[in-house]
């Protein structure tokens, strides 16, 4: 069952039950979600959450998202939930969306980074949902990478990122195959009369506006979110963005190249992926950047997608990766 020490690759009911026990006992469990893999801990246990910060090498005042399995658990974590947030939750959960809501008093500062709001999400992945349900707790989980690095979309990538920091007795990595979406959830702040997007993702502005019948507030948020740091999601290779419409692809000679399949590989470039659509681009994005690092490429030239669906999130991550 254990391919790499802590990896449980056979996600049988038994493996999930064992992982749920580890969570309840204060251990860390990395688990698949439809966006990226998360590094989970009991959201009511300050020591367990402190270990997440250690393993990630993340600053201590950053908030973490609490993952739930059922919309009925919302009231245990949040209060004064606006109508439009309920509408979003009903439409898009389980799914690639995190809502930032006013927190209940029982929610620890070690979860919210001392802020008055809490981030909540119900992921759309059967292993994640079963794990959270079995554990019977809220599961605090950031992406399962070292701070500032690329989020993992496979169990192997989790192992490469943080395997060395996990304890093979107390912790585990659940292998659920590659993530379906490939970029992190859309984070929507629901603290004001209109929703605000803190991080774009697969739930787009148009989808939010349709469900809430409100215009998304384009103002600057006061809340802190590490995913909004100017530099984040970065591989070791230098990421250079080319023009989406008219890319000067010849610059990629001797380096990595990532673009939709309609752009042929330039001479002397090393193709990292040929996504066929924007959704496919999101799915392969992080693995392609990782592949560049595995090959020790000094630079990766990227033609970002130009669409307005999940392409907005891809451009956001690529911009930070290239900062
Ligand atoms: O798709 C995802 O959201 C993945 C999977 C595992 O669920 N999780 C994820 O977590 O990307 P993380 O910690 O890597 O990014 C979550 C972002 C961080 O930038 C954090 O600062 C922000 O959400 N965040 C969490 N709680 C918050 C809060 N109460 N207020 C403002 N930002 C918050
Ligand atoms: Mg992250």
């Amino acid at each position: 069952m254990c391919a790499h020490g802590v990896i449980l690759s056979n996600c049988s009911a038994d493996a999930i039950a064992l992982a749920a026990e580890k969570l309840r006992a204060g251990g860390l469990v990395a688990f698949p979600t439809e966006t990226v893999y998360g590094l989970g801990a009991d959201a009511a246990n300050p020591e367990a959450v402190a270990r997440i910060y250690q393993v990630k090498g993340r600053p201590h005042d950053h908030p973490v998202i609490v993952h739930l399995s059922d919309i009925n658990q919302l009231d245990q974590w949040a209060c004064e939930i606006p109508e439009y947030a309920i509408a979003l939750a009903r439409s898009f959960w389980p799914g690639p969306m995190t809502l930032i809501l006013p927190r209940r008093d029982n929610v620890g500062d070690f979860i919210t980074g001392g802020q008055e709001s809490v981030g909540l999400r119900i992921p759309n992945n059967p292993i994640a949902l079963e794990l959270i349900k079995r554990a019977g707790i809220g599961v605090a989980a950031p992406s399962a990478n070292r701070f500032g690095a690329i989020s993992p979309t496979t169990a192997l990538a989790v192992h490469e990122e943080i395997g060395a920091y996990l304890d093979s007795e107390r912790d585990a990595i659940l292998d659920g195959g590659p993530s379906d979406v490939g970029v992190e959830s859309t984070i929507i702040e629901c603290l004001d009369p209109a929703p605000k997007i803190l991080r774009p993702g697969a739930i787009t502005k148009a989808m939010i506006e349709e469900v809430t019948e409100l215009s998304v507030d384009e103002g600057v948020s006061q809340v802190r979110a590490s995913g909004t740091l100017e530099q984040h999601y970065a591989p070791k290779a230098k990421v250079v963005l080319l023009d989406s419409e008219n890319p000067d692809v010849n610059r990629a000679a001797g380096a990595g190249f990532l673009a939709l399949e309609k752009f042929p590989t330039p001479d002397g470039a090393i193709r990292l992926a040929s996504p066929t659509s924007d959704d496919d681009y999101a799915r392969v994005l992080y693995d392609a950047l990782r592949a560049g690092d595995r090959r020790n490429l000094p630079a990766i030239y990227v033609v970002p997608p130009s669409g307005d669906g999940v392409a907005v999130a891809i451009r956001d991550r690529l911009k930070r990766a290239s900062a």
Side-chain angles (χ1 to χ4, degrees), residues 56 143 145 151 199 232-233:
K56 282 189 60 95
S143 52
N145 50 279
S151 300
R199 180 176 70 182
H232 207 71
Y233 309 108

Side-chain angles (χ1 to χ4, degrees), residues 50-188:
R51 281 194 60 226
I52 292 184
Y53 285 80
Q54 268 169 23
V55 166
K56 282 189 60 95
R58 190 190 213 201
H60 284 263
D61 59 348
H62 278 268
V64 288
I65 299 170
V66 178
H67 294 69
L68 307 174
S69 58
D70 191 296
I71 201 166
N72 293 322
Q73 297 155 346
L74 208 51
D75 286 339
Q76 297 166 27
W77 299 88
C79 54
E80 296 164 45
I81 305 170
E83 290 275 324
Y84 71 81
I86 304 274
L88 289 169
R90 289 199 192 290
S91 297
F92 299 126
W93 276 348
M97 175 184 78
T98 297
L99 299 181
I100 306 294
L101 296 164
R103 71 158 161 180
R104 275 211 175 279
D105 290 343
N106 58 295
V107 184
D109 280 337
F110 60 92
I111 291 294
T112 68
Q115 303 183 94
E116 290 308 311
S117 59
V118 62
L120 301 173
R121 173 160 119 81
I122 302 180
N124 188 17
N125 175 287
I127 296 170
L129 288 172
E130 183 64 20
L131 175 71
I132 301 164
K133 207 175 295 168
R134 282 259 180 175
I137 53 177
V139 177
S143 52
N145 50 279
R146 297 282 290 168
F147 183 68
I150 311 167
S151 300
T153 51
T154 63
L156 200 60
V158 174
H159 193 264
E160 280 174 6
E161 282 282 334
I162 58 164
Y165 304 90
L166 296 179
D167 176 328
S168 57
E169 293 292 313
R170 298 176 66 189
D171 309 327
I173 300 172
L174 286 175
D175 184 353
S179 296
D180 280 344
V181 175
V183 292
E184 303 81 356
S185 62
T186 306
I187 303 183
I188 309 171

